Amino acid sequence: MPVVSDSELNRRRHDILEGARRCFAEYGYEGATVRRLEEATGKSRGAIFHHFGDKETLFLALAREDAARQAEVVAREGLVQVMRDMLNHPERHDWLSTRLEITRMLRTDPAFRAQWQQHQAVLDEAVTQRLRSNAAADRMRDDVPVSVLHRYLETMMEGFIALLASGGSTEDLDRVLDLVEETVRGRS
């Protein structure tokens, strides 16, 4: 049996993730059947599950990848910029339309919830670090604890994702994000 290089394995893994992202976006978590995942990725069931084990692991790999990418944006520009990116480039985030299914799984499946929270921890840490850095540089309101501002931004993002995922109107969302940013920055 021929040996496959690490770069080829990484390319195959990347191809599977991108195809799965499109499949989850189009069909949702439950609707992304193995057959649909095979069609979307161009890979066999064996190839997909060789790399990811099962559908949940594949889905969580997407969550981990997105959380890491979002954490990089947060570190440079803040969580509001992540939301602006979702608004301005929905094609990069369309798989988040599965958010309603994720919410159900978070509520009903403790094992999934634990894994999801573990993958999202990198994003939470980036938000906390960004807020602390802004507070230390006096670029943020000081009358509200960082933990409350973090929860506020987290709540706004959850609602923002739910609105986008449900196909709600995006009219004035830029202005809403301006308002969110202003409330965190506080007095000028």
Side-chain angles (χ1 to χ4, degrees):
M1 179 174 262
V3 176
V4 179
S5 71
D6 286 342
S7 63
E8 178 60 19
L9 286 173
N10 287 336
R11 186 190 64 74
R12 290 178 186 177
R13 188 176 190 283
H14 173 78
D15 291 347
I16 291 168
L17 284 169
E18 290 308 305
R21 185 182 309 276
R22 290 187 305 272
C23 188
F24 287 124
E26 185 171 351
Y27 298 106
Y29 181 82
E30 295 298 329
T33 62
V34 173
R35 179 176 302 212
R36 286 177 171 158
L37 286 167
E38 288 175 316
E39 291 170 5
T41 63
K43 307 286 187 218
S44 70
R45 168 188 315 241
I48 295 168
F49 296 126
H50 167 76
H51 288 278
F52 294 99
D54 58 26
K55 183 169 90 168
E56 184 175 296
T57 303
L58 174 59
F59 187 79
L60 288 167
L62 289 171
R64 181 175 50 252
E65 196 175 78
D66 278 6
R69 187 172 40 249
Q70 290 171 356
E72 290 174 14
V73 173
V74 166
R76 287 189 320 269
E77 304 172 69
L79 190 60
V80 172
Q81 185 57 42
V82 171
M83 290 183 266
R84 288 187 197 285
D85 190 52
M86 289 177 183
L87 182 60
N88 296 324
H89 302 285
E91 73 282 358
R92 295 181 195 162
H93 306 279
D94 55 1
W95 82 280
L96 287 172
S97 62
T98 60
R99 195 57 172 201
L100 300 177
E101 291 172 286
I102 293 169
T103 300
R104 179 190 55 78
M105 292 165 64
L106 291 172
R107 193 182 76 243
T108 61
D109 185 338
F112 180 84
R113 180 176 47 251
Q115 288 183 314
W116 178 266
Q117 289 170 341
Q118 178 184 358
H119 296 315
Q120 296 301 303
V122 67
L123 180 57
D124 286 340
E125 181 59 27
V127 171
T128 298
Q129 288 302 107
R130 174 74 179 193
L131 290 171
R132 286 182 180 152
S133 173
N134 282 344
D138 202 29
R139 292 189 308 253
M140 191 176 72
R141 64 188 304 155
D142 60 5
D143 61 328
V144 179
V146 165
S147 61
V148 173
L149 290 172
H150 186 167
R151 180 57 57 109
Y152 168 69
L153 288 169
E154 183 178 67
T155 302
M156 291 304 301
M157 185 155 164
E158 288 297 320
F160 187 83
I161 291 170
L163 178 71
L164 294 178
S166 67
S169 171
T170 59
E171 185 178 340
D172 294 329
L173 279 183
D174 273 326
R175 293 186 67 199
V176 169
L177 293 176
D178 290 343
L179 181 62
V180 170
E181 201 160 42
E182 289 170 19
T183 59
V184 172
R185 295 218 185 273
R187 301 170 289 286
S188 298

